[in-house]
Amino acid sequence: MNRITKKHINVLITFFISIVMTNLNSNAQSKVEINSDWKFRQTNIGEWLSATVPGTVHTDLLHNKIIEDPYYRTNEKDLQWIDKVNWEYKTTFNLDQSVLSKENIEIIFNGLDTYADVYLNDSKILSADNMFRTWKIDAKPWLKSGENELHIVFQSPINKGLELYEKFGLPLPANNDQSENGGLGENRVSVHTRKAGYHYGWDWGPRFVTSGIWRPIEINAWNTAQIDNSYIVTQDIKNNTAQIAATATINISTGGNYKLITKLDGKKVAENSALLEKGIQEINSNFKVKNPKLWWPVGLGDAHLYTVTQELYLNNTLIDTKETKTGVRTAKLIQKEDADKSGRSFYFEVNGIPVFGKGANYIPNDLFLPRVTLEDYKTVINSAVEANMNMLRIWGGGIYENDEFYELCDEKGIMVWQDFMFACSMYPDTPELQESIKQEAIDNVQRLRNHPSIVLWCGNNEIEVAWSEYDHSRGWGGWRKSYPRAQQNKIWAAYETIFHDILPKVVSSETEAIDYWKSSPSAGPEQVATYNTTSGDIHYWGVWHGLHPFSDFNNHVGRFMSEYGFQSFPEFSTVKKYTIPSDWDIESEVMAAHQRSGIGNLRIKQYMESHYKTPKDFESFLYVSQLLQAKAIKEALEVHRRRMPYCMGSLYWQLNDCWPVASWSSMDYYKNWKAQQYMAKKAFEPIHVSPKISDSKVEFYVVSDKLKSQKAVLKITAMDFNGNIISSTKNNINIQPNTSTMYHTAEMASLINEYEKQDVVVLSEVIIKNKIVSENITYFTEPKDLKLLKPEIIKTFSISKDGKTHLTLSSKTLVKDVFITVSGTSLKLSDNYFDLIPNTKKEIEIGNQSIDITAVEITTLFDSYSN
């Protein structure tokens, strides 16, 4: 008899465990990402070079040092050849028998940009033609044990676009397609391809028409059944009880008696059984949550998230599990006719509470999308929260963002207005394109519908108002009026098919509780939005495009201001990254290449002449342009919030940039806060004091997003620039919840007495429990007319108990527009671009970094003067 050693026993135990685990896991999914050992080249030309997946052709060429930085100086114009040739990618991957033995093996292409022929072991398995779609292919017939080759050929999106353009035979409006920069003359081909519109250029972005594997490729292998997707929806909240419906869409390859157990944060809340046949099936569960922790927009409560777990069993054997994070909340777009029938409301009601939408429009963070990291998303979303925003509009010329973006919005309580990806263009009526659009919509609505942050799906950006079918006296030049009536009818019919039929039907069929809005802006059924419509949403561009004065923001207030804006340049440290000293002139070739609005520099100069003295040099011009932008948007934000509840939303254009450029953004490409972002932080405060100069009077409003009334003191102090008090009042007020109210009126003469307007500043403060919760500074003349004194600022540093560095500034005289930089460091401060009140200490939190006081540089408006 052989002696059994301890070693033999261990081997036997390991053997039996492996058998048990194999049986237990026979139904488990095997999921792996194909992300290594990729190579690329121009199709059939040259050697294979290393590639990064996810990635783009442009970034792979850059990494291999074939091209220089596309964003540097005027490199853009030398790189337009890239989109006019075909490119190919390939890799090999190994599969063992444990994966191949699965009943089902699919390859999931989460993002192919855009025209892609996919070959697996030399067999063509897919021809993709839509950047926004997810493609799932049953790959089992073509896979083999051991090494497999995946080969993807990307056709030139420009050559393919030209082919479709010529076949369609009717040029369609696409104002922002920079076809001339791409060497195509007037052939604007972007509308024929389901691809991010801004890749073809925009009035804030360059033209880089990318190709590549822009989202991951995965292999998913499984037996018996899998939960393809889940939909968790809050149907109602009444009597402190939430009614929840949970739908599991299940892919069945083996029919039988299935059971679905639903858990909420690990606690079983529902169990459903069903006899399911092979194919795509659904199991619906309903359960109640008593005393639910609701998801609230930031500022109104916690953005609480639950984890819903769905466990699928066959004959009591666990087959698959799916977890979904979501929030318990209701969200509705309220459009109620006014009592006098003069218009309709337009606001979002969350959990039964009207919410004023505070925020901005959002564009993609880069032209080369795979370069955008989780840290980039965190920086942008955290910046929105820190600026007291509660809503972002995902604009229709970009992309349906990555999951991480929406997860962060969920966690932080940011509401999302989600456009479908259509902007400023008309689209062909081909059946192939319309079917592609339908599948694109289904893919993305299903992918995103569990995010409590999404409160609206919108059909498109500005197309309805540009075409103006409902009012032929309006519309953008060269659009509808340039076509004979028969062609107008053809083009408009295609529009109605997409935006009045396909997209609303998808939203209705794939979601239960999210509203659809057909276009932004829109005044409603068969009405064109104008600057004065009393229903729907408004894009007001009288200021900027129309050269209206800033004061006209007071005259054009809609029910929801979903777009308006003003340009500025990025700060000098950013400009240095894409220029050399010889470029440091606003009209230089390089600066012009990074200013995509044809009227941009002219508009900035025109408005600057009205409000500011001519800056003394290039760097000062950049700085003053930011002050000008902040001044314009401050006027708008204050007006919109004061007009609450008539106006219930203010989203300025735009939050971020996709490359270093002069634009309407409040943060530049490197995520540096501009003056506008710091200003928005103050103007979007939960409780905000907002003075309004009205003829010879000053009216003092206090706006509150809070849901409870609060007792406070409204203090108003007028002083000269040396800090001498001219007049001062204190008013005990009871701030009303969720509204805007005027609490005090003062005659201008009584505020400033015998002083000249250009010598006076008025400080308004709201004080609650001896703490200043809001302050605002008012002047009675333009900055260029203020009699500013040469500043003498005292700086001191301190370290708080939590280890953060604080900079304290003070001055005996008024200092206007203090801009703090720290040499060699990019910092976001607790405040910047602020006015320093005489004889008042201003404390700025810098962060945890150790700062040399000699490295702190301060620029003021006075410093921008030439003498």
Side-chain angles (χ1 to χ4, degrees), residues 500-699:
H500 297 173
D501 183 29
I502 293 174
L503 296 182
K505 283 182 178 177
V506 169
V507 173
S508 177
S509 65
E510 301 299 332
T511 69
E512 196 173 311
I514 300 298
D515 288 292
Y516 173 82
W517 186 238
K518 55 194 173 78
S519 183
S520 180
S522 178
E526 298 192 2
Q527 287 180 278
V528 177
T530 70
Y531 292 164
N532 299 301
T533 44
T534 58
S535 301
D537 67 317
I538 288 177
H539 292 192
Y540 174 59
W541 285 102
V543 172
W544 184 259
H545 286 298
L547 206 57
H548 295 186
F550 293 167
S551 59
D552 269 12
F553 278 119
N554 289 271
N555 303 327
H556 304 288
V557 180
R559 312 312 288 260
F560 198 103
M561 304 300 292
S562 52
E563 196 180 300
Y564 57 91
F566 198 92
Q567 265 203 10
S568 75
F569 288 88
E571 63 183 62
F572 193 35
S573 63
T574 291
V575 171
K576 287 179 179 179
K577 292 179 180 179
Y578 64 86
T579 62
I580 58 177
S582 61
D583 302 326
W584 294 347
D585 183 290
I586 298 301
E587 304 301 335
S588 72
E589 181 185 12
V590 171
M591 291 300 293
H594 292 254
Q595 164 60 280
R596 306 314 282 249
S597 172
I599 62 169
N601 290 353
L602 173 63
R603 279 291 184 272
I604 291 174
K605 287 181 176 180
Q606 287 171 316
Y607 278 103
M608 193 177 288
E609 287 172 1
S610 299
H611 297 278
Y612 290 89
K613 293 181 180 180
T614 302
K616 65 182 180 182
D617 54 26
F618 177 76
E619 183 176 356
S620 297
F621 189 93
L622 304 181
Y623 158 73
V624 176
S625 80
Q626 291 202 23
L627 304 181
L628 180 68
Q629 179 190 39
K631 180 177 175 60
I633 302 308
K634 181 179 190 289
E635 183 85 23
L637 295 183
E638 301 258 353
V639 170
H640 300 160
R641 293 198 74 190
R642 284 198 302 265
R643 291 292 302 275
M644 178 185 183
Y646 179 86
C647 176
M648 284 297 288
S650 185
L651 310 179
Y652 63 76
W653 184 271
Q654 66 207 64
L655 179 65
N656 57 322
D657 273 328
C658 63
W659 76 315
V661 67
S663 82
W664 295 266
S665 71
S666 57
M667 292 191 298
D668 70 24
Y669 173 69
Y670 299 104
K671 311 299 186 291
N672 298 309
W673 282 31
K674 295 183 180 180
Q676 180 181 353
Q677 184 83 0
Y678 285 101
M679 179 280 303
K681 178 181 179 181
K682 297 170 186 174
F684 280 147
E685 293 165 329
I687 294 177
H688 181 65
V689 57
S690 180
K692 177 188 177 184
I693 300 173
S694 180
D695 297 324
S696 62
K697 299 183 300 183
V698 184
E699 300 168 344

Side-chain angles (χ1 to χ4, degrees), residues 90-109:
K90 72 174 182 179
T91 191
T92 57
F93 59 93
N94 288 291
L95 291 182
D96 59 30
Q97 198 57 40
S98 66
V99 175
L100 284 171
S101 63
K102 298 288 187 181
E103 296 172 6
N104 306 279
I105 309 175
E106 58 187 4
I107 300 183
I108 305 172
F109 301 90

Side-chain angles (χ1 to χ4, degrees), residues 34 38-41 43 48 53 57 86-91 107 109 111-120 125-128 149-155 212-215 217:
I34 306 175
W38 282 92
K39 298 184 183 304
F40 86 111
R41 67 177 182 179
T43 302
W48 290 92
V53 170
V57 169
N86 299 339
W87 299 91
E88 57 184 332
Y89 283 71
K90 72 174 182 179
T91 191
I107 300 183
F109 301 90
L112 296 174
D113 179 15
T114 292
Y115 296 106
D117 292 327
V118 181
Y119 299 86
L120 178 59
I125 63 170
L126 171 66
S127 285
E149 182 182 73
L150 191 60
H151 179 205
I152 305 178
V153 178
F154 290 95
Q155 299 178 55
I213 304 164
W214 76 287
R215 279 178 173 159
I217 298 174

Side-chain angles (χ1 to χ4, degrees), residues 65 285 421 777:
K65 299 183 179 180
S285 301
M421 291 303 112
I777 295 173

Side-chain angles (χ1 to χ4, degrees), residues 25-32 98-108 136-140 143 219-228 249-255 258 278-281 312 319-321:
N25 293 326
S26 62
N27 294 308
Q29 285 183 325
S30 296
K31 212 162 194 176
V32 62
S98 66
V99 175
L100 284 171
S101 63
K102 298 288 187 181
E103 296 172 6
N104 306 279
I105 309 175
E106 58 187 4
I107 300 183
I108 305 172
K136 293 184 179 181
I137 304 298
D138 178 8
K140 189 174 176 69
L143 290 168
I219 290 181
N220 180 40
W222 51 279
N223 287 334
T224 311
Q226 72 169 0
I227 303 174
D228 274 355
T249 302
I250 305 167
N251 195 340
I252 306 287
S253 64
T254 302
Y258 283 86
K278 183 177 180 179
I280 304 298
Q281 309 288 345
L312 182 66
I319 301 298
D320 194 15
T321 300

